[in-house]
Amino acid sequence: KAGVTQTPRYLIKTRGQQVTLSCSPISGHRSVSWYQQTPGQGLQFLFEYFSETQRNKGNFPGRFSGRQFSNSRSEMNVSTLELGDSALYLCASSLAPGLVHNEQFFGPGTRLTVL
Amino acid sequence: ILNVEQSPQSLHVQEGDSTNFTCSFPSSNFYALHWYRWETAKSPEALFVMTLNGDEKKKGRISATLNTKEGYSYLYIKGSQPEDSATYLCARSNQAGTALIFGKGTTLSVSS
């Protein structure tokens, strides 16, 4: 069974631009979460989607948004990029929310650099 | 957001040493505690998901315990090997088992 895939793996943008990252969950997984990893803050929760609906959102500005499609694939978008948005963005999938011992499987991440 | 704290921040041991790390979390409204291993250039790999007070989980040389009443979990590695070198993360999840709140991790380096 293929793991979580994320595209692109690396991205360089300039301040003010916008970016879209993509995540394909493990087949059969319907819940997708996004996380941001920075050296200073560690791994921080961005948002979670299930059945094309955002279920939870972390403490990030409105420039960060996402969506989920009917095939469970998810995209996240960051508008008006700032230097501080440079980070590794990780996507994780799980079967569905609310399951006992719900295990999340992480993708390899997208490394975003904002110049 | 409820903070998850991990200690120590980093650790260097010799091959064959046993070691342990601590994860502390607010004990109120607890649902589940997750441990992950994150090796350089790889994806975080789930080790354990623990939900019940007193839970003990084991996978090979790695084991974990959970105390939800006092808000801590220990991860133990017996007979450390160089391949155990990684950052070990713990995270608390919400009631749905998602929206993980991570600690900043303990980075283990094992020398041969």
Side-chain angles (χ1 to χ4, degrees), chain A residues 20-23 32 34 47 49 65-69 73-77:
Chain A
T20 299
L21 312 181
S22 180
C23 171
V32 173
W34 289 89
F47 26 65
Y49 286 88
S65 63
R67 59 178 176 167
Q68 186 181 35
F69 302 94
R73 189 177 70 86
S74 177
E75 289 181 347
M76 68 163 281
N77 184 277

Side-chain angles (χ1 to χ4, degrees), chain B residues 13-77:
Chain B
V13 302
Q14 295 295 312
E15 183 175 357
D17 289 348
S18 293
T19 186
N20 64 84
F21 325 133
T22 303
C23 173
S24 302
F25 51 88
S27 56
S28 60
N29 299 318
F30 175 83
Y31 184 73
L33 193 286
H34 302 241
W35 280 100
Y36 283 85
R37 173 169 60 201
W38 196 357
E39 295 178 64
T40 303
K42 294 188 177 180
S43 307
E45 172 197 359
L47 290 172
F48 307 112
V49 180
M50 308 171 78
T51 57
L52 299 176
N53 185 46
D55 246 355
E56 290 188 33
K57 300 270 186 178
K58 187 175 181 181
K59 183 183 286 189
R61 295 179 291 99
I62 304 176
S63 60
T65 61
L66 178 67
N67 183 321
T68 61
K69 293 184 178 180
E70 297 182 38
Y72 65 83
S73 175
Y74 295 136
L75 187 79
Y76 301 92
I77 302 179

Side-chain angles (χ1 to χ4, degrees), chain A residues 9 31 33 35 37 39-45 48 55-56 58-59 88 90 94 96-109, chain B residues 1 31-32 34 36 38 41-52 55 57 59 89 93-104:
Chain A
R9 293 293 310 277
S31 176
S33 298
Y35 297 85
Q37 163 77 1
Q41 298 299 319
L43 260 176
Q44 294 188 90
F45 170 72
E48 176 208 350
R55 284 176 42 87
N56 290 288
N59 189 25
L88 179 68
L90 289 168
S94 60
L99 298 177
V100 176
H101 296 106
N102 197 21
E103 188 173 319
Q104 294 201 19
F105 295 81
F106 282 83
Chain B
I1 295 178
Y31 184 73
H34 302 241
Y36 283 85
W38 196 357
K42 294 188 177 180
S43 307
E45 172 197 359
L47 290 172
F48 307 112
V49 180
M50 308 171 78
T51 57
L52 299 176
D55 246 355
K57 300 270 186 178
K59 183 183 286 189
L89 296 163
S93 62
N94 62 5
Q95 194 169 12
T98 56
L100 300 178
I101 305 300
F102 282 90
K104 293 191 176 180

